[in-house]
Structures are given as structure tokens and as C-alpha cells.
């Protein structure tokens, strides 16, 4: 992971993370992350290859919406990307992707809590939801610990390693 150099565009912080607009400086890390089979298998139904041009286009596309790159506050290392994929009727769907080398370091809770705070306070959402594959145990445990509740399940959306995998929908309502 490369360290971020131009962090003048920091938008907000939560815990040990800070959030910026997606940055061209991290395009190589983004390509590596999105082409990592372990990561992409938890995001997509089927194998995809992402090119540098596609990532540059993605970065440019997300400069004026609610998509962010995340960095460690102390080391300035790039962690991954997150944001709101869909916003409709005071509900927002969150998603996040963490680089393989930054996984297992307890960033997900800070990232999701940062998105919750942003969603409630900046976007004025009443509900935040996410969709997680049933075999993504780390993500399932994380959202449950943060108080998200399952409200829907699409059965057998794909088969991975001989096992049927569901889409599980979780929501967290503003109190």
C-alpha cells in the first residue's frame, strides 16, 4: 500500500480513518484490489477484470457524489473505498472495499460508523442498509455488531465452491 501524499482534500474522520474523494494517486492500488479474486468474489457475481483506465474513469465519475477513499490517520496508508451506492426515499445503501493488506486490522467498523454518521448527519437519511453475501463471514459479523438487522434474504444467488450463497439485506434505522 502506498501512502497518500496529497491529503488536503480530507472530508471527514471517524476513528482511525479519514475519508477523501477518490484519488488518482491510488489508482494502482485500486486496480490491484478490484482484481484480487478474494475481494472481487465478495463484491460481484462472477469473475471480472478491471483495467487502469476503468479505475480512472471510476475515480472521475465519483468526484461529486457520496463515494470516498479511506486512509489510516496515522500512517496515511490507503485502506480502500466506500460510499453510498444508492440513495432513495431517505434510505441509503452502503458498500465498502478494503485492500487485502489492510484487512483484519479493524478498519471496517470505523468505516461503517463513519458512513452512518455521514448518512444521518449530512445526507439526512432515516435508514442505512447493505447487502452481503452469506459466505462473507467477516462482513456479516461486523454489521451485526454495529446493530444492523437482517430484513430480507435472496436465496441461492450464486454457487461458490459447491455451496449455495444468499444475498442478505441488513438495515439500521435512525433512532
Amino acid at each position: 500500500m502506498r501512502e497518500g501524499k496529497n491529503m488536503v482534500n480530507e472530508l471527514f474522520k471517524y476513528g482511525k480513518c479519514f475519508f477523501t474523494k477518490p484519488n488518482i494517486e491510488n489508482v494502482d492500488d485500486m486496480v490491484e484490489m478490484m482484481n484480487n479474486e478474494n475481494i472481487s468474489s465478495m463484491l460481484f457475481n462472477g469473475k471480472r477484470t478491471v483495467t487502469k483506465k476503468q479505475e480512472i474513469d471510476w475515480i472521475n465519475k465519483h468526484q461529486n457524489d457520496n463515494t470516498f477513499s479511506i486512509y489510516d490517520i496515522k500512517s496515511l496508508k490507503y485502506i480502500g473505498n466506500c460510499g453510498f451506492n444508492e440513495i432513495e426515499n431517505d434510505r441509503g445503501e452502503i458498500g465498502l472495499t478494503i485492500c487485502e493488506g489492510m484487512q483484519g486490522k479493524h478498519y471496517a467498523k470505523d468505516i461503517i460508523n463513519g458512513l452512518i454518521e455521514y448518512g444521518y448527519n449530512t445526507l439526512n437519511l432515516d435508514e442505512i442498509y447493505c447487502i452481503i453475501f452469506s459466505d462473507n463471514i467477516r462482513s456479516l459479523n461486523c454489521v451485526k455488531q454495529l446493530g444492523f438487522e437482517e430484513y430480507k434474504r435472496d436465496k441461492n444467488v450464486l454457487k461458490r465452491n459447491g455451496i449455495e450463497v444468499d444475498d442478505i439485506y441488513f438495515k439500521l434505522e435512525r433512532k
Side-chain angles (χ1 to χ4, degrees):
M1 289 315 106
R2 284 171 268 296
E3 292 182 8
K5 295 177 185 103
N6 300 320
M7 296 301 121
V8 294
N9 59 348
E10 176 185 308
L11 299 173
F12 62 96
K13 297 177 184 178
Y14 195 96
K16 58 186 176 182
C17 301
F18 69 88
F19 299 70
T20 71
K21 284 291 150 198
N23 190 325
I24 194 76
E25 206 171 271
N26 299 106
V27 70
D28 292 330
D29 288 328
M30 291 178 187
V31 170
E32 181 180 326
M33 176 174 65
M34 297 309 291
N35 287 320
N36 179 301
E37 192 173 332
N38 294 325
I39 293 171
S40 66
S41 70
M42 294 299 151
L43 300 172
F44 310 117
N45 184 352
K47 186 163 174 53
R48 294 185 187 181
T49 301
V50 176
T51 66
K52 188 170 184 172
K53 182 187 179 322
Q54 287 171 316
E55 277 304 300
I56 291 168
D57 290 345
W58 182 89
I59 291 166
N60 290 328
K61 175 183 172 188
H62 291 289
Q63 291 303 301
N64 296 311
D65 63 11
N66 300 297
T67 302
F68 311 101
S69 286
I70 317 123
Y71 298 84
D72 180 276
I73 285 175
K74 289 182 181 174
S75 71
L76 305 181
K77 287 185 179 179
Y78 172 72
I79 297 168
N81 296 318
C82 68
F84 286 85
N85 303 326
E86 305 268 336
I87 298 176
E88 188 176 319
N89 300 327
D90 299 325
R91 297 179 73 229
E93 177 194 0
I94 59 170
L96 68 122
T97 309
I98 298 175
C99 294
E100 189 169 54
M102 301 303 276
Q103 292 180 9
K105 297 182 179 187
H106 308 287
Y107 288 112
K109 284 183 184 176
D110 283 348
I111 295 166
I112 294 170
N113 276 323
L115 288 172
I116 291 168
E117 189 173 280
Y118 180 85
Y120 290 160
N121 298 333
T122 303
L123 302 176
N124 201 31
L125 299 176
D126 291 323
E127 181 181 298
I128 295 172
Y129 71 99
C130 57
I131 307 166
I132 302 172
F133 287 132
S134 59
D135 62 344
N136 189 342
I137 303 306
R138 280 182 167 172
S139 293
L140 293 171
N141 288 337
C142 183
V143 298
K144 288 176 185 176
Q145 288 173 11
L146 293 174
F148 283 75
E149 296 178 355
E150 181 178 338
Y151 70 94
K152 179 181 168 186
R153 187 179 287 245
D154 290 339
K155 302 290 268 174
N156 307 326
V157 296
L158 65 97
K159 193 170 197 168
R160 190 177 358 248
N161 300 323
I163 299 170
E164 297 291 340
V165 178
D166 303 340
D167 266 343
I168 306 176
Y169 293 70
F170 290 89
K171 68 180 177 179
L172 183 68
E173 295 176 342
R174 185 196 300 251
K175 295 179 180 167

